[in-house]
Structure formats: C-alpha cells, structure tokens
Amino acid sequence: MEQIELGDVTVTRVKEYYGSVDTSPADFFPDSTERDWEANKDWLAPDFWEPATNTCISAIQTWVLHSEGRTILVDTGVGNHKERPYAGVWSRRDTAFLDNLAAAGVQPEDVDLVINTHLHIDHVGWNTRLDGRTWVPTFPNATYLMPERDFDFWNPANEHKSVFGRGNQNVFEDSVTPVHEAGMTQLWDETYQIDANLRLDLAPGHTPGSSVLTLESGSDRAVFVGDLIHTPLQIVGPHINSCFCEDPAESRTTRHRLLGRASDDNALLFPAHLGGHGAVEVVRDDSSFAIKGWAGFAHIS
Ligand SMILES: [Zn+2]
C-alpha cells in the first residue's frame, strides 16, 4: 500500500487497473507528435508509454483521503460488470477493487464522501455495484459530490451532444442515476469547501464540469487535477489535449493555469491516471513547465 502524509491529511493509493489502454499516443493525444514521445522516451517509458507496442499506459486508481476524521474517495474508476460495448477495455470488468480498498483499511460503509472529479466512464464506475439485476450505491453511508455542470451535461433528460459522443453511453444511467435517486448526491458549482484542508474548484475544459481538489494543510499543498493531465507529457507540453477533452481551447487554458498554480504553490500534482510514482512536482520552464521530482510514497504493508 502506498501512502503519503500531507499536513493533517493521509493520502492512500488504491489501484483498480494498471497497464495498457490499447491506444497509441497518436490516437490518445492527437496534438502530440512522434517526436514529442521519442524526445522524452527516457522518462515516459515504461511507466506511461510502452514503445515496443506503441501503447499508452494508464492507471485507474482511487485516491483515499483521511481528513478531519472522514474517509474520502477521489474518483471511483471503471467498476465491475458495466456494459460498455463501445469501450472494450472497460466493459464487463471483474476486478478486485473492493478487496484492494479493504486492504487499505476501508470497507464500503466506512466511506463518508465520494468525489467524482468529472462524470466520465472511468471516474464514476464504483459509484454503484450490481445487486442482483439492480445498480445500487456501493458506499451506503456516503455523500457523492458531483459537479453540477457535468451532471446537467450528461443527464439524458437534457439530450446533450458531447464531442466525446458515444463514449459515455450508459454511464449516467448505471453509475449516476441510482445514487441520485437514492438522495445521496450533492451537486455543486464554482467552488465547494469540504473541510479546513480540502476545497473543490471548477476547472472546465476536459468536461464542462471538470474540477480540481486542492489540499492545503500546514505547509503542504497538493492538487488533484483529474483528467486535465492524462500523461506527464502534458506537463512539458501543456498544449497537448487528450482526445477526450470536450473543449480543446478551454482545456489548454485551464491546464496551463493549474500547472502555473501548482508550480507557484509548490503543490504536489495528482493526475487521475498517472502510473509510476503517481504524483509529481512541477516547476515553470519559460512558457512551459518541467518535472521537478516525483512523489515519495511510503510503502506500508
Ligand atoms: Zn479518466
């Protein structure tokens, strides 16, 4: 188990999946060039890119935070048994995520808060689990914090047309609606103060309601940026979007702003899907950014 103490907050990494996402850098990050990957190969491989198969490597993981006596999950991965015919890697999975969570000392009923940084397929999956033929909330005592703009964007009642298009089908229905109908969602907009250590802020671009979680405790700072950064190549090339960014221009602006903030505040950056060390320190480098160092997690058994 990998854990790091940041001020009064304990951050634990719980993995659901780690490996190839069967997608080439050119498909996943259309703004990037072959040269970008080759020039940074010495640190992108093998944690974030497998050159032999030319596929991207991603982690699907949940950050478990203990803050002010509460247990908080940041993003809930892909989930088990979900029908995702348009996304083979994420369809009908059967992983040991809940066992991994238990190994980190967390039972479903212990969870007080669930944060979905945005409502994409790989961030809301474990919001629910299959009970017979019914999707039920996985964490029966939790409040689920969801960005209102994403909730409205993907609510089938609003008939929105996403550029991500068919890539998020069923997701609202099986992973958001059951929680909402159980009266367990708290929709928020602009900003939401969770406690003295943690605050959510809107950071649109990747999706309309994409958000970042800022941790400020003692002299420690961290920012959980969801999918604004998918690969650390986007740190040295903040203009590079993933193919899943709904608003490419806004995504670039937001990414640049947040990387600047993380650099100036000396904040540890936690992207949702970073493999390897999982979190990274960044510094300004002319009009771009550079990697200053990687997070040092303690390995606890
Ligand atoms: Zn994601």
Side-chain angles (χ1 to χ4, degrees), residues 33-42 44 49 51 54:
T33 64
E34 216 172 293
R35 225 175 125 215
D36 291 329
W37 292 84
E38 283 298 333
N40 296 288
K41 186 176 175 179
D42 58 331
L44 285 172
W49 174 41
N54 195 33

Side-chain angles (χ1 to χ4, degrees), residues 114 116 126-128 137-139 142-146 179 184-186:
V114 173
N116 299 129
W126 278 103
N127 280 4
T128 56
T138 307
F139 309 104
T143 297
Y144 290 66
L145 286 170
M146 297 184 188
V179 179
M184 295 166 73
T185 50
Q186 168 122 30

Side-chain angles (χ1 to χ4, degrees), residues 118 120 122-123 206 227 230 272-273:
H118 60 295
H120 268 163
D122 53 329
H123 294 259
H206 180 67
D227 282 1
H230 247 290
H273 302 301

Side-chain angles (χ1 to χ4, degrees), residues 13-28:
R13 185 184 203 178
V14 175
K15 285 181 187 166
E16 181 185 22
Y17 175 84
Y18 185 28
S20 166
V21 286
D22 285 349
T23 311
S24 72
D27 287 338
F28 206 151

